[in-house]
Amino acid sequence: MLHDHILILDFGSQVTQLIARRVREAHVYCEVHPCDVSDDWLRQQAASGHLKGIILSGSHASVYEVEDRAPQAVFELGLPVLGICYGMQTMAQQLGGQVQGSAQREFGYVEVRARGHSALLRDIADFHTPEGHGMLKVWMSHGDKVTALPPGFKLMASTDSCPIAGMADEARRFYGVQFHPEVTHTVQGRALLERFVLEICAARPDWVMRDHIEEAVQRIRTQVGDEGVILGLSGGVDSSVAAALIQRAIGDQLTCVFVDHGLLRLHEGDQVMEMFADRLHLRVLRVDASELFLRELAGVSDPEQKRKIIGRLFVEVFKAEAAKLTASGASKTAAKWLAQGTIYPDVIESGGAKSKKAVSIKSHHNVGGLPEQLGLKLLEPLRDLFKDEVRELGVALGLPPAMVYRHPFPGPGLGVRILGEVRPEYADLLRRADAIFIEELRSTIEPHSGKSWYELTSQAFAVFLPVKSVGVMGDGRTYDYVVALRAVQTSDFMTADWAELPYSLLKRVSGRIINEVRGINRVTYDVSSKPPATIEWE
């Protein structure tokens, strides 16, 4: 690693990824590792001269109930350290302070008095009190608190219920905050993290996607040599950018397999082929497996069972195609490598699940499994990148922004947007209704921002409900199906608010769907936020 970088030690917080994203947004490279890395490993990292600082994450646990501690080397390397929530508490306890359970917990919005005499918070405030005290609007999530500062530390921030909400040892450049600067609810959180990373750690902001292309290309060429690579192309952002990057590196040594499971959006299969085969000149094998998938899904209504069937069939179809390529006599198409669009959150989440530091963190399908079944080596050119970085890289590679910034689409496709049993006729109705919704979102401009409502929403789609309702069209009675529209706004997809779309837009979408999609006579709009709801319905 030739870039200056920040190390984030993860104690199991659900928002550790957000710390890394904020650091990357400052164009500084960072990595997340479990909190129990060894002292020797840390010293090796520091010996390179490129490790510039360490951040200790939050946790669901209490420091006086678990054994998770920061490695002692963290405090011996002479590097700046920032502890967040649990990270501040373990720093305090390990360095001679005290931590106790609090009679009054703090969860959510809190106003913190910021002591601006520290290098971390100097001139950072949201407003000032009549007495001239600088105040920060922050997000708290803790039931424990530091009750005694370690030797050498001074008070940096406080609230009425948490007198030590921030602490600093300026001589050693150790800082701790009880609140979470990584979440968007902390208004000055980005400014605080940039102050720590760019000024206190003095890390160079040289992590830029445009410049990353050449590094990634050289790495792929070194890994692959003259061997063939096979990639499962879904048309989603991750696999699309991975395909474009690998082709930039090794050209026609790459073969893409596009499995059409019959649960794609309207005309999506043709669009994938037009973009990648015709315009970008990739070698793409299109496999129409729609009859197989729909036959296996017939009569199945349980969402988890549907996901498992779709996942299993995809692997089976892909393995069959990969076997043909592996046995190919042509050196450039004889696959020795399996490329996957694994991105950094997948790696972090899988690591959290294996270490059991995190609570209810999923294990991602992209990390491991399939390469061993196929007997292929694994190529993951995006595994160091977050989704927003993947999008930036895609644009830098020349992919159309409309494709790169398209809303997320689940791997099982419409299979989890059709509630209950998946039938071909349901998929056809949903495809057409969804296309109308997206078309209207793209064409409707919000006047104040000048952006389309598609750009202003993070994810939008239609859901097919397997119920019928009575309606009237002309002089006749109808008894047809119902669709629900869903549109949310979010910065991180961990929480989301339903989008307050204009009534005129919703009226136009509803009218078009009912008039143009025969078989649907009622349209509803989902006004549930996450939590308590999820973004997808299944």
Side-chain angles (χ1 to χ4, degrees), residues 5 38 51 132 168 217 226 305 383 395 402 421 442 477 483 502 521:
H5 59 283
S38 70
L51 179 58
V217 163
D226 60 359
Q305 192 176 354
R383 66 177 287 116
V395 173
E421 181 184 5
R442 287 189 182 277
R477 173 185 182 274
V483 294
N521 71 353

Side-chain angles (χ1 to χ4, degrees), residues 8 17 31 44-45 58 78 85 87 92 105 108 116 167 200 207 254 312 390 453 472 475 482 485 490 498:
I8 300 167
Q17 284 189 33
E31 290 185 354
Q44 290 173 3
Q45 292 288 305
C85 194
R105 298 183 173 191
M167 62 183 195
I200 294 171
W207 182 249
L254 170 68
R312 172 179 58 80
V390 172
W453 273 104
V472 177
D475 295 324
V482 181
L485 306 179
T490 177
W498 61 276

Side-chain angles (χ1 to χ4, degrees), residues 15 18 22 138-139 180-187 189-190 492:
V15 291
L18 296 184
R22 299 295 171 256
V138 306
W139 189 70
H180 287 265
E182 67 272 30
V183 302
T184 55
H185 305 74
T186 298
V187 179
R190 177 176 293 188
D492 52 32

Side-chain angles (χ1 to χ4, degrees), residues 2 17 55 76 82-83 142 150 162 247 271 305 327 425 433 506:
L2 300 178
Q17 284 189 33
I55 298 177
E76 298 173 350
L82 172 63
H142 69 103
C162 185
Q247 190 213 29
Q271 291 167 1
Q305 192 176 354
E425 60 268 28
L506 290 172

Side-chain angles (χ1 to χ4, degrees), residues 193-206:
L193 287 169
E194 287 185 355
R195 172 73 57 80
F196 178 72
V197 169
L198 298 175
E199 297 183 25
I200 294 171
C201 296
R204 289 177 300 168
D206 61 356

Side-chain angles (χ1 to χ4, degrees), residues 8-13 16 19 55-59 84-87:
I8 300 167
L9 295 184
D10 181 20
F11 289 87
S13 169
T16 299
I19 304 173
I55 298 177
L56 309 177
S57 86
S59 172
I84 296 174
C85 194
Y86 181 99

Side-chain angles (χ1 to χ4, degrees), residues 286-304:
R286 181 176 184 175
V287 183
D288 185 356
S290 54
E291 288 188 13
L292 170 65
F293 278 80
L294 292 169
R295 183 172 65 248
E296 291 288 319
L297 288 168
V300 178
S301 58
D302 179 72
E304 188 60 24

